[in-house]
Amino acid sequence: MFAAERCGCDLRGGMKRLIALSVLVFVVAFAATLAWKLWPELTRPKYVDPAFRIPSPLDLESIPTASRFDFPLGNENGAMAYNAQRFTESKHLGDDLNGIGGENSDLGDPIYAIADGRVLLARDGGPGWGNVVILLHAYLDNGERKYVQSYYGHVQDMLVHSGETVKRGQQIATVGTANGRYFAHLHFEMREFITPFIGPGYRQDTRGWINPTKFIEAHR
Ligand SMILES: [Zn+2]
């Protein structure tokens, strides 16, 4: 009788310790998970690379208004250059512009800013892209100020930096091969959005992208 009572007492004490231990384990695990999840947010650097910063309305206002648009390769009318793969051909999001000599004859040729604008991004776009330059232009459409982006892919040398203001016809880069991946050419896109986005190059859904040749021809 006495032994049995003592035994029950031990059992209750053991259960209490087990419950206390379970609660402790739960609390520690919960705190650890919370810390794990929140750590990147708490330690995230306050500085954001200008290349990833969405232009603020104030920045947008300071972009010069482009009066006209030119072609980026060959001469301003697009002479001495041809389009090897047009916008939407095989889901292409831009035009592939080449010097008329073909193959690598245009390697290192100058690429010009198509209009006055601001450099949004100038950096390595990763495998398949090589260096990429993105400009943002402001222009007037029936009196309304609008924005359009020009995108220069696979370039060899970049001659401008993010945040810089550029003039129409200013050399901004040279034609490249995406680090030897292709024959030299300029992958040239125009976009209606303002975020500096490297992009996929090809896509079925072309919303946000516009026909570069048509746009330039309509804004000479
Ligand atoms: Zn292309």
Side-chain angles (χ1 to χ4, degrees):
M1 191 69 170
F2 200 75
E5 256 177 27
R6 211 169 30 187
C7 199
C9 234
D10 282 353
L11 198 67
R12 275 197 296 276
M15 283 292 280
K16 271 183 189 166
R17 273 199 297 278
L18 195 67
I19 289 165
L21 192 68
S22 302
V23 168
L24 185 71
V25 166
F26 176 78
V27 167
V28 168
F30 183 76
T33 307
L34 201 68
W36 174 258
K37 295 275 182 200
L38 285 178
W39 187 251
E41 291 298 315
L42 297 172
T43 56
R44 189 165 50 178
K46 296 286 176 281
Y47 175 79
V48 181
D49 188 301
F52 298 106
R53 220 182 279 153
I54 296 168
S56 76
L58 218 72
D59 293 337
L60 289 177
E61 273 172 35
S62 72
I63 295 175
T65 308
S67 52
R68 58 173 266 198
F69 289 77
D70 291 342
F71 283 92
L73 196 68
N75 79 351
E76 61 186 46
N77 302 310
M80 309 306 284
Y82 73 96
N83 194 349
Q85 190 178 31
R86 293 173 186 282
F87 179 66
T88 68
E89 198 180 312
S90 309
K91 303 175 188 173
H92 200 218
L93 287 174
D95 287 336
D96 280 342
L97 303 178
N98 285 264
I100 55 170
E103 298 197 347
N104 274 337
S105 62
D106 50 357
L107 180 63
D109 275 4
I111 297 168
Y112 306 104
I114 60 164
D116 293 357
R118 175 83 33 84
V119 182
L120 279 186
L121 176 151
R123 67 173 173 90
D124 187 349
W129 275 121
N131 290 326
V132 171
V133 175
I134 303 179
L135 305 182
L136 186 63
H137 313 279
Y139 68 103
L140 293 176
D141 186 31
N142 291 322
E144 189 195 342
R145 189 171 158 92
K146 286 188 174 177
Y147 299 95
V148 70
Q149 223 179 69
S150 59
Y151 182 101
Y152 312 78
H154 313 320
V155 310
Q156 183 166 254
D157 296 314
M158 297 176 286
L159 307 175
V160 289
H161 297 98
S162 177
E164 215 175 292
T165 299
V166 292
K167 287 270 177 208
R168 175 174 58 85
Q170 180 182 332
Q171 188 184 344
I172 54 168
T174 59
V175 175
T177 59
N179 303 314
R181 206 179 174 101
Y182 312 107
F183 280 130
H185 72 278
L186 170 64
H187 173 96
F188 178 66
E189 295 180 8
M190 289 194 73
R191 295 118 160 244
E192 291 176 312
F193 51 89
I194 58 170
T195 40
F197 170 54
I198 297 284
Y202 292 85
R203 183 188 275 168
Q204 179 77 51
D205 185 354
T206 60
R207 276 177 300 176
W209 276 259
I210 53 179
N211 185 324
T213 302
K214 275 199 178 148
F215 182 90
I216 293 171
E217 281 173 352
H219 295 86
R220 301 300 327 273

